[in-house]
Amino acid sequence: MSRALLDDWRVNEFAAGLYPERRDVKDGRLDRFIGSLHGRWAQGGSPRRGHRLRRFAGRVEALADALSELDEDALRRRVAAVRAALMVDGLADSPVAECFALIREVCSRQLGLRHYPVQLMGGYAMLRGTLAEMQTGEGKTLTAVLPAVTVALAGAPVHVITVNDYLASRDAAYLTPVYAFFGLRVGLIVPDQESAQRAEAYASDVTYCVNKDLVFDYLRDRITQKRGRAGARAVLDNWLAGPRHAAGSAALLRGLYFAIVDEADSVLIDEARTPLIISSDVDDANGRTLYEQALALAASLESRTHYLLRARERSIELTDAGRAAVADFARGLPGLWGIARAREELVEQGLSALHLFQRDRHYIIADDKVQIVDEYTGRVMADRSWERGLHQMIEVKEGLDLSKRRDTISRITYQRFFRRYLCLAGMSGTATEVAPEMRSVYALDVLRIAPNRPVIRRDLGQRVFLDSDRRWAAVVERAAEMRAQGRAVLIGTRSVAASELASERLTAAGLVHEVLNARQDAREAEIIKEAGQSGRITVATNMAGRGTDIGLSPEVRAAGGLHVILSEYHDAARIDRQLFGRAGRQGDPGSCEAIVSLDDELFLAHASPLLGWLRARAAPTGRLPAHWGRLLRRYAQAAAERQNSRIRRQTVDMDKRVEQSLAFAGKGE
């Protein structure tokens, strides 16, 4: 990698360790506050930056005619010349513009697709370390190949990070012919790969991977480093030896150079509330009896008298009366019951298992095992478990065999991990709302890119009903109406349980449909492929709102396009916006609406004081007036966002404290 590229990324030194990465940022509250103000000020971008992007796109387009006349051999010679220029000059505008033009021409020949000017603008923004907000359907997959090829030709490894392995596999396979033309190797990280295969994939010029797999591999490298030699010699060996050495060495990654994060708000914000933890299985000497006793005691305790349930924070705390009750119960019992803090934590975990973690919302039972469901994608998180005995408590609650407990070996938050890249970029359809946090935490500015074609999607507004029964009746009625018109319908839900309840209602009404949730995620590609056909009804959890394209049949397009029904608001309005963005892509017709109820999770958790007052103002039909519904949504989502932001800050602070304690015990990151 050239010195010029490091200068472009303003990198003067690396953290001491196994391979190149930035030093851990030591920022405080004041730093985060100033960064937040900067992000708010730069929200959406400035006219000056927009003009620079348009001017750059014009330079790229000006090269199109000359390149289109070249044969393949001449085109390859131009690629070789651009590679040499990038190695010497870094990411200067002149070689970058020619590189983008070459990529555009190659994509046209290999894929039959030519980048729009807005895609050239988005690619250039990411190349400069920015988060590009591009509306859903604007072709972010094709946009990402522009900075990925450019940086790889300049000599730095590139990680393209997606939210699930289906998207990573799809994009890597689809774009491989383009990368191959430029002489670049593409790697793919998927679950259940052998270490040698993973190391070979990371040794490629461009590696497609899922955020969780990447972070866990990084933590494994940290563990390997502590077991072996570390320091400047290890960095030098990895730097000089290159891909061949990296593929055959103990380390999986080559370093944290350039990352493009797809659906960046989902990865960097929504999933940043929980640290990533590597743990080891240990035999549980306490046995099943201990958890059964704790669950029985937890079930006998009374809310507010013995414990305080904080649904917003997803936490439970024993009161003085609760601690006294636990002490009375533990009198004379052996083991952990004799240790005050241990028994209190045990009972708090039992209360959490009973009151905070619900089947078919937070987890499902499959193959007689508790499998955690990702709250933001609706997908099963394979081979993941809760720590500190919570997983075992839920297994006992569900009458399953007890798995082994896990002890923490290494951990890190997304916030700390992604800040270690020498250059971080991203793209998303919904990021403007979190621009201040992106800037204050990741030093990422959000730049809004205008759509290629005007959006003609019709928003039919929202309907808020008093109860869930009225809501589902309205959803079924609307789905039947749209189906009769020959349109395709997508019904979005927040949980597996809600998707299956919707399915039951549709079945009772005689409406044929497909369900896409954590139980059917293996059929995702097949279901999405058919979701745009005439009369098709698809019920899906949040996974339908991320990264996949619902292609419309000519009949559906003529009938009015895809109609999206949101059946429950999410904590963040941008996630609702992501779901609505499934309709009306690239100038297609489409429509969307929200049909919700007052007993939804968002309203109960964040606006419960208002609900009684609002119920008294509902119409005789059981529907809330529109203006009160809009006010309720804004109030509840604002409260939820504040709470989630606070949790993310606490997660980072806790991670730093835990790292210090793990380092003291010889188990640091």
Side-chain angles (χ1 to χ4, degrees), residues 490 492 544-545 564-566 574-583:
L490 175 65
V564 175
I565 302 174
L566 182 147
R574 58 194 161 76
I575 300 179
D576 299 336
R577 190 154 61 92
Q578 182 76 226
L579 180 65
F580 287 148
R582 308 301 298 144

Side-chain angles (χ1 to χ4, degrees), residues 218-239:
Y218 175 82
L219 288 177
R220 292 185 186 101
D221 281 352
R222 300 298 94 189
I223 295 170
T224 301
Q225 176 190 6
K226 288 186 177 296
R227 289 174 179 167
R229 61 196 178 112
R233 177 62 186 274
V235 175
L236 185 62
D237 285 349
N238 272 286
W239 178 277

Side-chain angles (χ1 to χ4, degrees), residues 332-405:
L333 293 176
L336 292 180
W337 290 112
I339 306 172
R341 185 58 207 137
R343 66 184 179 231
E344 289 167 6
E345 180 175 323
L346 188 65
V347 174
E348 286 175 347
Q349 293 288 55
L351 289 166
S352 296
L354 291 173
H355 302 296
L356 293 179
F357 292 86
Q358 304 170 22
R359 183 171 176 172
D360 292 337
R361 178 177 290 273
H362 304 107
Y363 63 91
I364 63 172
I365 305 298
D367 300 325
D368 294 325
K369 294 180 180 178
V370 171
Q371 298 194 2
I372 301 174
V373 174
D374 190 314
E375 180 180 356
Y376 292 97
T377 66
R379 291 180 170 82
V380 168
M381 301 167 69
D383 300 323
R384 307 287 161 79
S385 65
W386 289 293
E387 60 177 340
R388 294 165 51 205
L390 175 60
H391 203 87
Q392 289 70 30
M393 203 74 73
I394 292 177
E395 288 171 332
V396 172
K397 166 188 164 183
E398 297 290 350
L400 302 174
D401 292 337
L402 214 61
S403 62
K404 291 185 176 183
R405 283 192 59 150

Side-chain angles (χ1 to χ4, degrees), residues 262-278:
D262 191 13
E263 305 299 351
D265 62 314
S266 177
V267 174
L268 302 179
I269 299 295
D270 296 331
E271 298 193 39
R273 293 193 297 173
T274 306
L276 281 297
I277 297 172
I278 284 187

